[in-house]
Structure formats: C-alpha cells, structure tokens
C-alpha cells in the first residue's frame, strides 16, 4: 500500500495518514490497484479483467487443507458468473440473508457478520459500493472496501470464482444467480492472502472490518450489574449487537432448546424496553433470529399471556415494531438462556444520524520489535518497561443519575495487525493484552518521558485487559476517576514481533498521546587539548602507529582500536569495522584530510574511555556485552534521549540476537554524536529545523 523502503516508507505512510489517506472518503488502494482506471482500460480494450495480484491459481485457495494438489482443490476450475448462468446478477431486490449460504470453508463467522450487514443498508454500501453490475460496462472487475487496522482499504478483484463439480466452492446465494456475496468473500480472501486464511474466527472480527467499529464481549453468566445500561447506550449509538448460546459438544451445533432457541447460532439484539407489569417495572429485550422462522416460546414471546396484562397502547406499540423472526423476552431470561453478548460500537464516521450519540475516538499505530519495544507482560519486569506507552487524560465524569460513583467510562481496544496473512508461514495470533497505571504526581502534565523499569517495579496497575488472549483484538470497558493514566500494550511473552493499533474510546471529553522520550542530546563541548597536555607514553604510541606523516588513517585507527580492545578481557567484541572507523574519523576530522592528528586522536580516545565506563556500568551481568534494553539505558546515560522508533532502529542496526558488544556500542554513540552535531550545524536558527541544499545533503550522507 505504501512504497517499500523501511524507515522512509514508515515516514511516508504517516504523512499520507495526516493528509487523510485511509479515511472513509479516501480509501487506500490495496496493491496500488485503482478500480476506475483498471475498469476503463478493460472497457476500452474489450478484454475482461484478470487480476495479477490474486491470480486464478491454486495458491490463492490456500496452503494447508486447500493447498495446491490437495484432495479438496483437485479439479477446481475458476469460472466467471457469466459462464455459470445465463442471467448473472450482482444484487437482486437488495441484499438479504438468503444471499449468504456457506460453502466448503470454515468462515461462518464472516458470513454471520455479512448477514448482519444486510440489516443496515447504509453500512452495507460502505463495503459494497453502488453501481456495480454484470450489465452496464461489464468488464469482469469489481471492488469492495474494508476497514483494516485503522484504515479503509479499496480491494479490486476479477470475477473468476473457484468452482468444483459445476458448483461454487464457497459462499453462494440461495437463488444461484446472485453473486455479490461470493465476490465480497473473494475480495476479503485477497486482503488476507488466500481463501484458507479466512478459516476460523469470531463474528466481531467481521463486524469490525465492515464498519471500523470496536467490539466488546460479555459472558452473561458473569455480566456486569449495569449491563442493561451498556446495551441501552449501545442501541442509542446504532451499535451492532449479537448474542449466542454456547455449544458444549459437536452434537449441540444448531440444536434447538425446548423453548426454541438455537445453540451455536448468531442472533441480533434490536431493542430494550421497560413496561409496567403487575405493578412493577419489567425490563424486556427484543431479539432477532436471522433465519426468520424459529422463535422463542417462553415468557413474553409473541403469543404469551404476559402481553394481556400490560396497557393495550404499550402492547400495540411494542408489537408494531416487530419483524418476522423477532421476539421479546424478559431481561432475566435473556441472561439465563444466552451465553454471550457481542457489541460492535460504531465510530463517528460510520454514524450519520445526528440523533445518535457517539464515542470520542483516539487511535495509535505502534510496533513491538524484538530487543527494543517488545517487552512482554508484567511477568517480565526487566523488559516490561520497554513496551510502547500511551497517556490518556480523563477530563469529565459520566453524567449518569443512577450512579453515585464519580467515574469516566472508556473502552481500550488493542488489535494486532496482519496475522492472518502470516498463517501460510506457520505463524498465527500472538497472545496480547494491556495494563493501565495511574500516572504519579511528578509526571503529570509531562509528555516527553518514557517511564522506566523502577516505576513499574514500585507501582501496580489500576486496571488491565480482562485476559491476555490470542485473539486479533482484546478490548475491555473500564471506569476510572478523572485523572491521567498510562496504557501499556504488550504481548504476553517478550520478543514477539508485531504491528498493532491501539484505540481508545471515551464517553466524555478526554485527551490521549503517546508517551515517548523527546529526542535530545547533551553534547559536551570537546575539551581544549593541546600537545602539551598529552603524556609522553601516549605520544610515543601514536608516533609508532602514525608513521612519518604523524596522522592516523582509517585503517591505522582500526588497527589501534582493535589492539587496545583485545587487552580488555572483560569486553566482548569481534573488532571495529572499517565503516565504524570511518565514522569516527569523520566526527573528529576538523581539516577534511580524512585522517586524525595527535590532538584529534587524543580527544577521540577520551570519548571512548568515557563510553567504556558507561558500558561497564550497564553491562549488569558482567557478560562483556549488553542486552538491548540495557543499551537503551546506557545510550541515555551517555547523553542521548531517543524515542521508541529510534531505539528500534538502533537495535536493528547494532544488536545481534538482542546483544550489543563493545565495538557496536561505541560505533552507535559515535554515529549519534556525529548526526546530532551535523544537525546543529544546519539548524542555524536553533529552531529544531535544519535547512540544506542538495550538495550539503549529499556531502552529509555520503561522508557520515
């Protein structure tokens, strides 16, 4: 989606996001494929589109059970709807649940989400753009839009679908000539790398990718006491709500209980109401079975006697808003009969009705990288502090008249990115979660501080995710008093690498920001050294190595440093490289000769001795090398404050298996000092912005 190139790609992506790329109005083009341009080319050339990015070939089906040459994929043909039927249609009479029949793929979670989508036409057409058909300007090309990890993505496909024995292998419509659902499934398979990557998941994952909302899940046997308020607010906000009954064995799947509820089946929840019943207020909940026929037969069901005992106008009002397959039941029966409630809270950009209240939404893109920002959970106190840290300031308490407690409601959702795509490489979801800490008084109002190990050793969390779990997203609803809090997202084990999106949703006004050290350097002016200050033994060593010209070249410097370093038996090193010695010479070389005189060498030598003291101080286990998180503290002790992204880069550049030996540590500090000094030279106004022309830029980058 963005140009290759590591760091430059990351900077470019952040700039595009700031300009609105990935928003609802400006979707990112998946694989840089532009639907309108590609369609126009096909119409003009008279050729049907063939997608080179998701070809009609075996690897697009899968990698294990659907791998090339497996029994399930033998004799598969790829056919266009125009080859399968005389009158193919994209959508007939609007999208309905009967358009979605499952095929030979375990993606019922996805189909349940698509079925829910058909209940909300506006949301559906966000995913399935208008104006697509097999009649007008048909060119064998279609497109769909999905929310992926904080961004809307436009996915182009051709309409060649996998067929076996003359039937569509996967999703199909009951009518047989309607193809929007099969094409939607293909686009989602392309997004995730293959059809098989869609096998197994939760409906909420589909909900989120179709709406950009955030899901939360409640086990009803341990539901919070204010569950009815949570449901009521969710309905007011237009959220999607689903509920289901757990299956306890394979025989239970879609088994019908004696009061006609279906186990292992996704219901939607559509209303909440209180009625006056026998002198007391009775709380009722309205539920919809997408199948349409099978309905609850217990208390408050369509023809039950309870309705005879409430006010006729109220009864009429509640019954008028019913559809086939919808029924009421008491809230207490609901909690007893159903196992789980899932709520997909829609973000403001998915809501258009002014009457609907909505959450305030904040979003951060982060990474866990081995050795620099992947610290694992609190069970790992030496590394937990290196995880990314985010501050949330809760400013206003909820205005809930039923609640005496002064507290702010908010939802934290942590989502790991792209894990389905890695399945073909044998990887799957990491186990993830987060912890929340109250920020102590001395750090309140601070932004440029990344809290260190000692803070977490002496402070316990005030809230956390309910569990660490290997789901794509972990979300937890929390209530805390107004104040400043720190959110630390992490994998359960250290050194697990992934990109993530952290979203924070608050009911009232709040502020969030990433807590990260401000980039700065405490550069001490090089001491004034003259030849008279240098002792004779140092001079004679220099004279021996420098030769007749009394200057040390890059190669001579390498020889000296490696000879000296080998005398220190407590240091691990595989020797200084020519590249690192070139950086040192460039840092110290004042006359542009690419060689060091006696005084320049003495100043460099003093720096190395000072940095050796720092190295020994932070080589805590005296192994002769530092771990990457010890290095982070050592770099700061040497006078350089860096943010998470820079720490990631340094570990990637200078560490090996999360360990940094002495020569790499020195090279890192030399490079940092050189780059900070160069920047100061070009930041003539002291404004924090450097200005240079192309000649200066090339001189700097080629010589640095």
């Amino acid at each position: 989606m963005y140009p290759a190139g590591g760091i430059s790609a990351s900077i470019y992506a952040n700039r595009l996001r700031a300009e609105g790329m990935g928003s609802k109005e400006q979707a990112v083009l998946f694989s840089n494929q532009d639907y309108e341009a590609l369609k126009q080319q096909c119409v003009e050339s008279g050729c049907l589109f063939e997608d080179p990015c998701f070809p009609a070939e075996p690897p697009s089906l899968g990698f294990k059970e659907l791998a090339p040459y497996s029994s399930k994929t033998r004799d598969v043909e790829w056919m266009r709807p125009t080859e399968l039927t005389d009158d193919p249609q994209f959508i007939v009479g609007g999208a309905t649940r009967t358009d979605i029949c499952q095929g030979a793929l375990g993606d019922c979670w996805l189909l349940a989400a698509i079925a829910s989508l058909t209940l909300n036409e506006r949301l559906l057409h966000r995913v399935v753009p208008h104006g697509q058909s097999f009649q007008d300007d048909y060119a064998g090309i279609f497109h769909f839009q999905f929310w992926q990890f904080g961004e809307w993505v436009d996915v182009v496909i051709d309409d060649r679908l996998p067929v076996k024995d003359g039937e569509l292998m996967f999703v199909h419509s009951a009518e047989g000539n309607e193809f929007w659902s099969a094409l939607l499934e293909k686009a989602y398979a392309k997004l995730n790398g293959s059809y098989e990557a869609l096998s197994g998941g939760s409906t909420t994952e589909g909900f989120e990718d179709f709406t950009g909302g955030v899901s939360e899940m409640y086990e009803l046997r341990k539901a919070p006491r204010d569950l009815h308020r949570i449901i009521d607010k969710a309905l007011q906000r237009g959220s999607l709500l689903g509920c289901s009954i757990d299956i306890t064995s394979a025989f239970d799947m879609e088994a019908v209980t004696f009061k006609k509820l279906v186990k292992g089946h996704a219901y939607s929840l559509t209303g909440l109401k209180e009625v006056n019943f026998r002198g007391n207020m009775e709380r009722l909940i309205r539920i919809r079975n997408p199948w349409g026929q099978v309905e609850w037969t217990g208390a408050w069901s369509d023809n039950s006697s309870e309705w005879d005992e409430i006010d006729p106008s109220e009864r009429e009002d509640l019954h008028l808003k019913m559809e086939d397959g919808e029924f009421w039941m008491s809230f207490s029966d609901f909690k007893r009969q159903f196992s789980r409630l899932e709520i997909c809270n829609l973000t403001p950009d998915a809501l258009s009705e002014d009457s609907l209240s909505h959450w305030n939404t904040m979003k951060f893109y982060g990474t866990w990288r081995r050795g620099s920002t992947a610290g694992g959970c609190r069970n790992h106190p030496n590394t937990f502090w290196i995880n990314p840290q985010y501050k949330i300031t809760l400013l206003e308490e909820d205005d809930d008249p039923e609640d005496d407690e002064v507290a702010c409601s908010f939802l934290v959702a942590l989502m790991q990115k792209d894990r389905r795509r890695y399945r073909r490489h044998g990887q799957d979801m990491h186990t993830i979660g987060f912890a929340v800490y109250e920020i102590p008084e001395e750090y309140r109002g601070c932004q440029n501080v990344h809290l260190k190990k000692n803070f977490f050793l002496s402070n316990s969390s005030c809230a956390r995710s309910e569990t660490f779990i290997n789901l794509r997203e972990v979300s937890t609803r929390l209530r805390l008093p107004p104040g400043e809090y720190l959110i630390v997202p992490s994998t359960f084990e250290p050194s697990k690498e992934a990109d993530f999106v952290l979203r924070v949703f608050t009911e009232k006004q709040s502020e969030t920001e990433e807590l990260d050290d401000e980039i700065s350097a405490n550069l001490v002016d090089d001491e004034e050294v003259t030849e008279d200050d240098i002792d004779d033994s140092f001079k004679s060593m220099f004279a021996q190595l420098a030769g007749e010209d009394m200057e040390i070249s890059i190669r001579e410097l390498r020889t000296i440093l490696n000879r000296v370093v080998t005398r220190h038996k407590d240091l691990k090193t595989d020797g200084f490289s020519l590249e690192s010695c070139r950086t040192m010479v460039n840092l110290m070389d004042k006359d542009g000769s690419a060689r060091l005189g006696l005084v320049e060498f003495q100043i460099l030598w003093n720096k190395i001795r000072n940095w050796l003291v720092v190295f020994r101080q932070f080589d805590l286990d005296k192994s002769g090398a530092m771990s990457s998180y010890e290095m982070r503290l050592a770099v700061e002790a040497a006078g350089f404050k860096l943010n998470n992204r820079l720490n990631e880069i340094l570990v990637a550049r200078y560490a090996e298996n999360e360990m940094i030996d002495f020569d790499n540590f020195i090279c890192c500090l030399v490079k940092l000092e050189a780059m900070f000094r160069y920047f100061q030279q070009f930041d003539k106004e002291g404004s924090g912005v450097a200005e240079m022309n192309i000649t200066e830029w090339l001189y700097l980058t080629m010589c640095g």
Side-chain angles (χ1 to χ4, degrees), residues 66 72 100-108 111 162 167-173 185:
L66 295 177
K72 289 189 178 179
I100 304 146
C101 303
Q102 190 171 356
L105 188 63
D107 63 348
C108 59
L111 310 191
E167 301 285 336
L168 286 177
M169 278 183 77
F170 305 128
V171 170
H172 52 280
S173 69
E185 183 189 42

Side-chain angles (χ1 to χ4, degrees), residues 149-170:
F149 316 116
E151 299 178 318
W152 283 95
V153 180
D154 190 273
V155 182
V156 170
I157 54 162
D158 64 35
D159 62 351
R160 295 177 294 177
L161 296 167
V163 171
K164 195 169 183 180
D165 302 325
E167 301 285 336
L168 286 177
M169 278 183 77
F170 305 128

Side-chain angles (χ1 to χ4, degrees), residues 216-231 283 331 334-335 339-341 343 403 409 411 466 476-479:
E216 49 185 328
M217 198 180 290
Y218 294 95
E219 299 295 336
L220 293 176
R221 62 188 166 78
K222 48 180 184 182
R225 59 185 171 80
D226 61 341
L227 182 69
H228 65 282
R229 280 214 303 272
I230 291 169
I231 292 172
R283 190 172 289 133
F331 196 70
F334 163 70
K335 287 196 290 185
S339 314
R340 185 173 295 107
L341 169 70
I343 301 176
D403 203 336
S409 293
L411 189 70
E466 285 175 25
T476 302
R477 183 186 289 257
L478 301 167
R479 295 189 83 225

